[in-house]
Amino acid sequence: MIEKYFPYASQIPDDFIQASLETIYMTLVSALIAGFLGLILGIILLVTGKGGLKENKFIYTILDKIVDIGRSIPFVILLAVIFPFTRLIVGTIVGTTAAIVPLVVGTVPFFARQIQNALLEVNPGVIEAAKSMGVSDLGIIFRVYLREGLVPIIRACNFTMISIIGLTAMAGAVGGGGLGQLAISKGYQRYHNDVTLVALVIILLLVFITQIIGNLTIKVASKNKKS
């Protein structure tokens, strides 16, 4: 049955396993690095913005423009533009590890803005109450903003993870490995449509699993916040 409807895909199960692991590897490593950098950048945008804990128009304007520009560059073009930087960091521009560099560069501005918006949802009254009790700025960031904004932060993380999965497929089209490269090199370019279809289904499964984990995490965090 499988050989009948998926004649070419059924011949390369090991390739699908390897490509799936590569996609997961690129997604997780990129998410960890971009998540850390994006969180810091998002917090800096928050505290230096108008009415922030350390309002600084000069720093905010520069970072705000960098984030806007970073979010506006199409990922395919970004892949090509930062080839020299990618080679400088990992010594090559081909492969899954090399793909992580543009994935991080492309994700950090996106995630930073998500974090900034998530933290802006925190009730200003809670911030003022913390200030009146003499809590330091650093304490307000960690004990108020990050705690009170946990649910929207998790939502932003989930949204970003799904976005990265999509970007890994795009990176695969230019030698980044993973399911995207498998779909292009052994599916689309060889007219083996079943290979492309199976790769697409696996990518969708990864997205659905990520979404389910994100929803469950949000549910638990919301429940703990109310209790």
Side-chain angles (χ1 to χ4, degrees):
M1 178 67 78
I2 295 178
E3 288 79 4
K4 179 180 178 181
Y5 292 103
F6 302 97
Y8 300 104
S10 61
Q11 296 175 16
I12 53 173
D14 292 342
D15 288 13
F16 278 106
I17 294 173
Q18 179 66 29
S20 299
L21 293 175
E22 289 175 352
T23 294
I24 294 172
Y25 165 70
M26 286 189 286
T27 301
L28 292 180
V29 175
S30 301
L32 284 174
I33 300 174
F36 176 72
L37 297 176
L39 179 64
I40 294 175
L41 183 55
I43 291 174
I44 295 175
L45 283 168
L46 177 77
V47 299
T48 58
K50 187 175 182 181
L53 297 173
K54 296 290 184 184
E55 184 174 338
N56 187 311
K57 187 175 180 181
F58 176 73
I59 294 177
Y60 178 81
T61 301
I62 291 177
L63 294 179
D64 184 60
K65 295 305 177 188
I66 291 175
V67 168
D68 282 343
I69 292 172
R71 295 172 64 209
S72 302
I73 300 175
F75 187 67
V76 171
I77 296 177
L78 177 67
L79 283 167
V81 168
I82 68 167
F83 271 170
F85 180 67
T86 301
R87 191 191 301 276
L88 177 67
I89 297 296
V90 297
T92 179
I93 59 173
V94 178
T96 53
T97 300
I100 290 172
V101 177
L103 284 170
V104 170
V105 173
T107 302
V108 167
F110 175 79
F111 186 61
R113 187 67 81 197
Q114 295 281 323
I115 290 297
Q116 181 191 13
N117 292 334
L119 297 180
L120 284 172
E121 293 182 20
V122 176
N123 186 349
V126 181
I127 307 299
E128 292 302 321
K131 287 181 180 177
S132 65
M133 290 187 289
V135 179
S136 66
D137 291 343
L138 205 57
I140 291 176
I141 291 173
F142 284 100
R143 292 160 57 188
V144 181
Y145 272 119
L146 295 182
R147 180 177 295 179
E148 294 295 321
L150 183 59
V151 172
I153 288 174
I154 295 173
R155 192 177 296 119
C157 291
N158 191 37
F159 190 59
T160 303
M161 285 279 288
I162 292 173
S163 174
I164 292 176
I165 292 173
L167 294 179
T168 62
M170 205 179 298
V174 292
L179 291 163
Q181 181 168 332
L182 182 65
I184 296 297
S185 64
K186 295 191 177 181
Y188 177 75
Q189 292 178 347
R190 299 182 184 182
Y191 303 102
H192 297 164
N193 293 332
D194 60 318
V195 174
T196 307
L197 179 61
V198 172
L200 173 63
V201 170
I202 296 175
I203 290 173
L204 290 176
L205 283 174
L206 292 176
V207 170
F208 291 151
I209 291 171
T210 303
Q211 186 67 62
I212 291 172
I213 294 174
N215 290 342
L216 289 174
T217 308
I218 290 172
K219 191 174 181 180
V220 172
S222 300
K223 188 176 180 180
N224 290 337
K225 187 177 179 181
K226 292 177 181 176
S227 60

